[in-house]
Amino acid sequence: DKKFYDNLYEQYGFKKDEINEIIEPLIQKNFEEIFNQIISNSLSGKKYALQFEKDLLTIFDNYWGFFSHHTGQKKRYKEGGGAYSDIFLVTKEKQKCSLVDAKAIKNYALPNNDRIKMINSYAKNYKELESEFNYKKLKLDFILYVVGSVNYKSEIKKNCEYISKEINNIPVSVISSHNFVSLAKKYKGHKYQSEIRKFFCKSGVL
């Protein structure tokens, strides 16, 4: 934030480069702690599932520069009831949006109940979130599940393809928390948002 730098310069005479030299290692250390926490919480079951959602949002928001909204605890009060995906993402250009679901589960296989929720509720009603957060004419870009670990022996790839087919071929993918963290470590910063978006626009297991 420009005001942060201006205040330090006015009060103490510190220049921006001098400030960055001090705070950047601290910021990086903070993210390293979040990375470790993401992997740990993703395998916790219900115990730290909510914190898992919040930490993922932090990465999408602060690390990759998406407009990120935590929607997992929001209830639908319109006809049909139900809920929303855990995270609602919007690109920095405010033209595309995505749905992220966090599953603090080992050996995740995208079971039938989760498929039905995504098809009949989350993907179907994302326009309500667009309206609530004051966006306009957003195009649904991708749907992503971030999970503790993937059950590679299951039909998870086929399950992703099934959801995609049912929602107008929007890409649907699953990534383990470990691979999610590896991706974040490789692509550090808002400037990589476009590359991250393209990566998540692939279907299947990432």
Side-chain angles (χ1 to χ4, degrees), residues 41-46 48-49 52 102-106 146-148:
N41 288 345
S42 74
L43 302 169
S44 70
K46 292 182 179 180
Y48 297 113
F52 179 40
K103 299 294 182 182
I105 300 171
K106 300 176 183 177
V146 186
V147 306

Side-chain angles (χ1 to χ4, degrees), residues 3-14:
K3 190 176 179 181
F4 170 77
Y5 291 104
D6 289 346
N7 286 343
L8 285 177
Y9 182 76
E10 289 171 9
Q11 292 184 46
Y12 306 105
F14 295 147

Side-chain angles (χ1 to χ4, degrees), residues 7-198:
N7 286 343
L8 285 177
Y9 182 76
E10 289 171 9
Q11 292 184 46
Y12 306 105
F14 295 147
K15 296 178 181 177
K16 186 173 182 178
D17 290 345
E18 295 172 326
I19 297 168
N20 284 343
E21 188 176 341
I22 299 299
I23 66 170
E24 283 181 354
L26 300 176
I27 292 171
Q28 189 59 43
K29 183 176 183 293
N30 179 57
F31 275 114
E32 288 296 333
E33 291 174 358
I34 290 177
F35 290 151
N36 293 333
Q37 187 170 290
I38 283 173
I39 294 173
S40 174
N41 288 345
S42 74
L43 302 169
S44 70
K46 292 182 179 180
K47 188 173 183 180
Y48 297 113
L50 181 59
Q51 187 59 50
F52 179 40
E53 295 172 19
K54 292 178 178 178
D55 288 343
L56 292 179
L57 184 138
T58 296
I59 299 302
F60 280 109
D61 191 346
N62 294 350
Y63 214 64
W64 290 326
F66 288 90
F67 295 101
S68 307
H69 306 274
H70 191 204
T71 51
Q73 279 63 56
K74 293 181 70 65
K75 302 296 182 185
R76 288 190 73 246
Y77 296 103
K78 298 190 177 183
E79 185 178 354
Y84 301 102
S85 62
D86 293 324
I87 300 171
F88 180 62
L89 300 178
V90 178
T91 57
K92 54 189 175 184
E93 297 85 6
K94 298 184 181 180
Q95 295 177 345
K96 298 178 180 180
C97 65
S98 303
L99 307 179
V100 179
D101 235 27
K103 299 294 182 182
I105 300 171
K106 300 176 183 177
N107 296 316
Y108 185 72
L110 225 179
N112 184 58
N113 188 47
D114 289 348
R115 299 197 298 272
I116 290 172
K117 284 181 183 177
M118 184 57 71
I119 294 166
N120 294 336
S121 185
Y122 301 169
K124 183 179 179 181
N125 300 314
Y126 84 91
K127 283 287 184 181
E128 294 174 6
L129 295 176
E130 172 189 279
S131 176
E132 180 165 343
F133 295 115
N134 297 314
Y135 298 104
K136 295 180 180 179
K137 297 180 180 179
L138 295 176
K139 180 181 178 182
L140 189 55
D141 200 25
F142 64 80
I143 288 166
L144 175 70
Y145 292 86
V146 186
V147 306
S149 62
V150 176
N151 184 345
Y152 291 100
K153 295 182 179 179
S154 69
E155 294 188 332
I156 190 166
K157 184 175 183 295
K158 186 177 178 180
N159 293 341
C160 288
E161 292 169 351
Y162 174 77
I163 295 175
S164 179
K165 184 178 178 181
E166 293 294 313
I167 56 172
N168 299 318
N169 296 315
I170 301 299
V172 177
S173 59
V174 179
I175 189 169
S176 70
S177 60
H178 184 273
N179 286 341
F180 180 88
V181 165
S182 296
L183 192 68
K185 287 181 176 180
K186 183 176 180 180
Y187 295 99
K188 302 177 181 178
H190 292 197
K191 63 182 179 181
Y192 290 111
Q193 185 183 114
S194 180
E195 284 85 345
I196 291 298
R197 188 192 66 75
K198 289 176 184 176

